[in-house]
Amino acid sequence: MSPDEKTVAALADAAKIKLTDEETAAIAAELSRRIRYIDLLHTLDTQDIPPTTVPCPLQNCLREDVLTPSLPRTDILQNAPASEEGFFLVPKTIEQRSTAT
Amino acid sequence: MTESSLLSLTALELGAAIARREVSVLEATQACLAQIARMEPKINAFITVTADAARAQAQNVQARIDAGTLTHPLAGVPMAIKDNIAVRGVPTTCASKMLKNYTPVYDATVTARLFAAGAVCLGKLNLDEFAMGSSTESSHFGVTRNPWNENHVSGGSSGGSAAAVCAREVFYALGTDTGGSIRQPAHFCGVMGIKPTYGSVSRHGLHAYASSLDQIGPLCRDARDGAAILSLLMGKDEHDATSVSCSPPALPQGTRLDTLRVGLPTAYFESPLDEDIRKAVLSCADTLRALGATVAEASLPHLPFAVPTYFVLANAEASANLARYDGIRYGFRPKDFDGTDDLYCAARSEGFGAEVKRRLLLGTYVLSGAQYDAYFEKARRARTCIARDFDAAFAQFDVLLTPTSPATAYPIGRKVADASDAYSGDIFTVSANLAGLPALSFPCGMSRDGLPIGAQLIAPAFGEETLLRVAHAYEQSRKHSAPCPKGVLPHDDL
């Protein structure tokens, strides 16, 4: 089943991407083309085939819990778009209306 | 030594010349920086050139060599790193507006390992945005042009890495390969590109695209360089839980391939394939036969499902991996927004380019509701079928020889007719990622219109040494490795 414009709008909401109406229509058409292509998979019988998640025989990787130095907080915050008193600054999450920081 | 002859050396040859004090690390670095200044206006392989840092690093490395504390065969050799791998203090943009101003505060494990061995880093190399593409045309910083023909793409996503090695700007480069992103640009530019076994090289410090497929590997001039670089990169890293202990490949030697069993997968030659590429790869098979190998047809019946499987899994994993870019801790944050949710949306909508958005939405789709079983789960099972094809083939063969890509480098701006065309170029490379196998692309000829042709070798997991041994024997029989485009080398004296 190919995604229609309503589905694309819901996908964009889930992926936190804003689309204009024009973009939504264009992406619905593009995704439909791409989906038709991957529909080839439905011609393959996989009923008794187990799924592969990673292509190597990984087991749980356990190690001793050892305390090691962290990266300096001031260095990390140099990449933050906004910070204050050593913390990442984010909009207020309770009040919906807030101003840009 | 003239500048041209210096730039024509392999990485190991330059490392030996530095060790013998025939050339200093700074002289080699300056020669590369001059070559970058000459070539960049034409090809745009670099996003960031770190000239001052490279000179300082060169002097530091020279001092350690002089003091006898640095003896690695690649010590002092200039190189560069794809711009989705962290280098401390140097912007790492992933060729995206989203990370245009992001500067890592730590080195990726691969970066740290190379620096510990005395590598001199000249900068960061162009790619498709977040490594999502096959031509570097989706880079926020413009396309990388092919040194063989500047109207053609250099391939991708590691197009900057391949073009920089081809244009003699660096002696080797790091790339990343999720569905062919090291091997395809290596083929397009006439250099060697190696995707190591899944788990053999740490991804700590790599911006993840599709975590069950991504691997870091070298683009370089020949098989001996490839082995030397891989021996530095490979091995377990406690910062990457998928990394495993493994033996690095020995430097390849010898010119005979007696007892080697080479499989030629018939399916690869029955799908659409450029005639010059077909001839070059079959001629390569004849050469391997002349070197003592037996060559026979191999069967990989699930090849037609490889690209659709890759398409589903890569996009699904990308949609999860790229959820981290939200404008909060690092990366692009818009000026105007209304609340947290709007900040996320605005940062991602303005920060990501069109192709990244399309892939994230497709990935979100195949993971949503009923589509999860119909597409994602189906693709995970198809992946098992593809891996089993290889298991069966490697019961009969030591390596498989295939074309790297169905076509040579195409013109910049080529209109892609539909989605299947956009991905059909990946058809010969994605299977090795799906099955986690090591694969290598090496130059094996030129097309009638003067563009390089690469052949691909695929081996069982941890079979890097076999790949390099075969490629090395082939290089010896041809008396050359990476060809050099006309006009790339300067003619003035050092």
Side-chain angles (χ1 to χ4, degrees):
Chain A
M1 191 188 78
S2 291
D4 56 17
E5 290 181 30
K6 193 177 158 193
T7 310
V8 169
L11 293 174
D13 187 52
K16 301 293 180 209
I17 291 171
K18 282 184 202 165
L19 298 175
T20 64
D21 290 347
E22 277 180 9
E23 286 173 329
T24 303
I27 286 185
E30 174 63 23
L31 289 195
S32 295
R33 281 195 291 275
R34 295 190 185 195
I35 295 289
R36 275 200 295 280
Y37 178 52
I38 60 176
D39 273 338
L40 178 67
L41 286 173
H42 296 308
T43 65
L44 179 64
D45 180 5
T46 55
Q47 198 173 1
D48 299 318
I49 308 290
T52 296
T53 302
V54 286
C56 62
L58 275 176
Q59 305 295 322
N60 281 336
C61 298
L62 302 177
R63 60 170 172 77
E64 292 301 312
D65 195 7
V66 182
L67 196 64
T68 56
S70 300
L71 291 167
R73 178 187 292 216
T74 48
D75 290 1
I76 296 279
L77 288 173
Q78 280 174 9
N79 276 305
S83 64
E84 194 172 289
E85 296 178 7
F87 293 95
F88 295 110
L89 198 61
V90 299
K92 286 181 183 172
T93 52
I94 304 215
E95 293 176 15
Q96 279 305 300
R97 292 230 159 256
S98 66
T99 52
T101 49
Chain B
M1 192 181 295
T2 66
E3 197 166 323
S4 283
S5 53
L6 190 158
L7 294 173
S8 300
L9 298 174
T10 68
L12 281 171
E13 287 167 350
L14 175 63
I18 288 170
R20 291 193 300 264
R21 307 298 194 270
E22 291 169 11
V23 57
S24 75
V25 180
L26 190 58
E27 283 168 343
T29 301
Q30 297 282 36
C32 286
L33 289 171
Q35 181 70 351
I36 288 170
R38 252 169 50 80
M39 293 303 296
E40 276 305 284
K42 300 176 190 168
I43 63 169
N44 189 39
F46 280 80
I47 291 176
T48 306
V49 178
T50 51
D52 291 342
R55 288 189 199 98
Q57 195 172 23
Q59 286 171 325
N60 176 279
V61 166
Q62 186 70 60
R64 288 157 66 201
I65 291 171
D66 292 344
T69 56
L70 195 51
T71 56
H72 192 278
L74 292 176
V77 176
M79 46 73 74
I81 296 178
K82 187 176 179 180
D83 207 22
N84 58 350
I85 299 171
V87 177
R88 186 163 50 122
V90 180
T92 296
T93 68
C94 291
S96 179
K97 180 180 174 185
M98 177 64 84
L99 294 176
K100 195 174 177 180
N101 297 314
Y102 168 68
T103 301
V105 296
Y106 68 103
D107 282 327
T109 296
V110 289
T111 306
R113 288 187 180 189
L114 292 175
F115 284 179
V120 175
C121 180
L122 303 189
K124 305 299 296 293
L125 295 161
N126 200 14
L127 64 153
D128 287 284
E129 185 180 5
F130 283 101
M132 294 182 181
S134 306
S135 66
T136 72
E137 287 173 295
S138 71
S139 167
H140 181 66
F141 301 96
V143 68
T144 294
R145 296 173 179 275
N146 194 310
W148 289 93
N149 182 333
E150 290 155 25
N151 296 319
H152 288 238
V153 300
S154 57
S157 62
S158 308
S161 303
V165 173
C166 170
R168 273 56 183 175
E169 294 180 325
V170 290
F171 288 84
Y172 66 96
L174 291 188
T176 61
D177 192 314
T178 303
S181 281
I182 288 174
R183 290 160 285 158
Q184 182 257 28
H187 153 70
F188 276 13
C189 291
V191 302
M192 176 170 285
I194 308 169
K195 183 205 89 72
T197 306
Y198 187 82
S200 65
V201 176
S202 166
R203 284 97 50 86
H204 175 65
L206 164 67
H207 286 261
Y209 166 13
S211 302
S212 80
L213 301 160
D214 298 338
Q215 279 294 283
I216 297 170
L219 293 101
C220 53
R221 306 257 170 95
D222 70 6
R224 286 172 64 82
D225 281 0
I229 301 158
L230 274 184
S231 71
L232 282 172
L233 302 180
M234 288 171 73
K236 187 165 176 59
D237 172 24
E238 64 173 22
H239 296 302
D240 179 354
T242 62
S243 74
V244 294
S245 297
C246 51
S247 306
L251 274 188
Q253 294 181 344
T255 56
R256 295 291 300 172
L257 295 173
D258 300 309
T259 76
L260 184 84
R261 302 166 303 167
V262 179
L264 276 179
T266 47
Y268 284 61
F269 294 88
E270 286 164 358
S271 61
L273 178 62
D274 178 276
E275 203 45 45
D276 289 350
I277 295 178
R278 180 193 307 275
K279 281 184 190 160
V281 176
L282 291 177
S283 167
C284 175
D286 288 339
T287 303
L288 300 187
R289 205 179 270 120
L291 295 173
T294 56
V295 181
E297 289 187 356
S299 171
L300 293 171
H302 291 92
L303 179 72
F305 300 102
V307 176
T309 301
Y310 168 78
F311 197 107
V312 171
L313 297 177
N315 290 327
E317 293 184 25
S319 75
N321 273 326
L322 272 66
R324 74 192 64 188
Y325 303 109
D326 58 7
I328 299 290
R329 290 159 300 158
Y330 58 95
F332 175 75
R333 180 183 287 201
K335 285 193 176 69
D336 300 314
F337 53 88
D338 183 11
T340 311
D341 203 57
D342 192 50
L343 165 57
Y344 297 153
C345 289
R348 292 166 66 78
S349 304
E350 294 176 43
F352 290 141
E355 179 60 19
V356 172
K357 288 180 197 172
R358 280 195 288 270
R359 294 193 187 204
L360 295 183
L361 291 171
L362 186 84
T364 307
Y365 180 69
V366 298
L367 290 171
S368 64
Q371 316 310 329
Y372 184 93
D373 281 341
Y375 293 111
F376 185 66
E377 185 66 9
K378 186 79 181 177
R380 292 171 71 218
R381 292 173 192 273
R383 184 176 196 171
T384 306
C385 297
I386 290 160
R388 286 178 177 178
D389 279 358
F390 282 108
D391 289 343
F394 288 129
Q396 289 180 273
F397 300 105
D398 301 308
V399 289
L400 300 174
L401 174 69
T402 81
T404 304
S405 178
T408 54
Y410 50 83
I412 291 168
R414 182 190 68 163
K415 201 77 180 163
V416 174
D418 74 28
S420 58
D421 278 359
Y423 286 79
S424 61
D426 300 334
I427 187 168
F428 301 148
T429 47
V430 294
S431 296
N433 300 78
L434 290 166
L437 304 175
L440 169 158
S441 179
F442 62 102
C444 75
M446 299 294 292
S447 70
R448 279 167 291 181
D449 50 0
L451 291 165
I453 295 172
Q456 176 179 235
L457 293 165
I458 309 172
F462 305 105
E464 281 83 353
E465 192 163 299
T466 307
L467 297 180
L468 292 160
R469 185 166 70 87
V470 177
H472 175 71
Y474 180 78
E475 287 165 359
Q476 297 306 301
S477 76
R478 303 272 294 231
K479 308 276 189 259
H480 70 83
S481 47
C484 185
K486 275 185 189 162
V488 157
L489 288 172
H491 298 291
D492 49 332
D493 287 343
L494 189 65

